[in-house]
């Protein structure tokens, strides 16, 4: 399943990038994240590992392990889902006259193939809703930092 959302962040690209990398503060704008912990000594670059306690219907249900697999500051960051959710999430940033154009793409799958695909088909509208809310939260967050 692929879901993509975009928004203008009202800050220069360098400030938008810095805000995204405040890993532990992501739950302030990403409502389905209950907490984020960095599991590696390095906080930047390919190989950074994260543990994200994720909420489902506002209840913290599971901890997902994520790994940075692409790092191109301040333009692109790709994170691989390394738990039962598989796939990648990519954040792309482009400078613009009103701030930074931010695009978030999730390409994920769930096992087993047919049942997982069906579950994601049902989940897709909720994921779009969560991503839209996260981008609105991110816009507010970057304005306040």
């Amino acid at each position: 399943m692929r879901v993509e959302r975009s928004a203008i962040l009202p800050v220069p690209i360098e400030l938008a990038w810095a805000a995204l990398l405040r890993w532990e503060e992501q739950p302030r704008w990403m409502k389905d994240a209950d907490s984020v912990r960095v599991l590696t000594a390095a906080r930047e670059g390919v190989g950074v590992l994260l543990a994200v306690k994720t909420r489902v219907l506002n209840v913290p249900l599971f901890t997902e392990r994520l790994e940075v697999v692409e790092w191109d500051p301040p333009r692109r960051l790709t994170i691989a889902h390394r738990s039962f959710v598989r796939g990648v999430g990519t954040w792309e940033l482009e400078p613009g006259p009103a701030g930074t154009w931010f695009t978030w793409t999730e390409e994920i799958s769930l096992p087993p193939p047919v049942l997982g695909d069906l579950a994601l088909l049902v989940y897709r509208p909720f994921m779009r809703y969560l991503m839209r809310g996260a981008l609105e939260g991110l816009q507010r967050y970057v304005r306040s930092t």
Side-chain angles (χ1 to χ4, degrees), residues 2 4 6 8 17-19 26 38 51 54 61 72 84 92 96 100 104 113-114 120 125 127 131 136 139:
R2 178 185 168 98
E4 182 175 298
S6 298
I8 294 286
W17 180 264
Q26 287 179 358
V38 179
T54 302
L61 281 186
D72 183 18
F84 69 95
E92 294 181 287
T100 301
W104 180 2
V114 174
L120 287 174
M127 187 167 180
M131 288 173 72
E136 291 168 359
Q139 288 172 317

Side-chain angles (χ1 to χ4, degrees), residues 60-137:
L61 281 186
F62 62 91
T63 300
E64 186 175 11
R65 186 178 166 126
L66 304 173
E67 179 182 0
V68 175
V69 295
E70 183 180 7
W71 181 266
D72 183 18
R75 304 235 180 219
R76 186 177 170 96
L77 173 69
T78 301
I79 296 179
H81 297 267
R82 300 286 193 217
S83 300
F84 69 95
V85 175
R86 304 307 258 170
V88 295
T90 301
W91 292 342
E92 294 181 287
L93 296 87
E94 290 292 328
T100 301
W101 184 250
F102 177 73
T103 301
W104 180 2
T105 306
E106 288 287 340
E107 296 182 62
I108 58 173
S109 64
L110 288 175
V114 174
L115 194 54
D117 293 343
L118 183 57
L120 287 174
L121 184 63
V122 171
Y123 184 69
R124 173 182 257 156
F126 186 64
M127 187 167 180
R128 285 183 175 147
Y129 168 80
L130 286 173
M131 288 173 72
R132 182 177 59 242
L135 291 182
E136 291 168 359

Side-chain angles (χ1 to χ4, degrees), residues 12-90:
I13 191 170
E14 294 80 10
L15 294 179
W17 180 264
L20 290 169
L21 296 185
R22 291 187 203 105
W23 304 112
E24 292 86 356
E25 292 188 25
Q26 287 179 358
R28 290 182 58 190
W29 56 270
M30 196 180 302
K31 297 302 180 198
D32 61 331
D34 188 63
S35 67
V36 177
R37 290 183 301 118
V38 179
L39 302 175
T40 51
R43 295 182 58 83
E44 297 184 3
V46 171
V48 170
L49 295 175
L50 305 167
V52 180
K53 183 168 272 194
T54 302
R55 296 175 193 251
V56 177
L57 300 174
N58 210 29
V59 176
L61 281 186
F62 62 91
T63 300
E64 186 175 11
R65 186 178 166 126
L66 304 173
E67 179 182 0
V68 175
V69 295
E70 183 180 7
W71 181 266
D72 183 18
R75 304 235 180 219
R76 186 177 170 96
L77 173 69
T78 301
I79 296 179
H81 297 267
R82 300 286 193 217
S83 300
F84 69 95
V85 175
R86 304 307 258 170
V88 295
T90 301

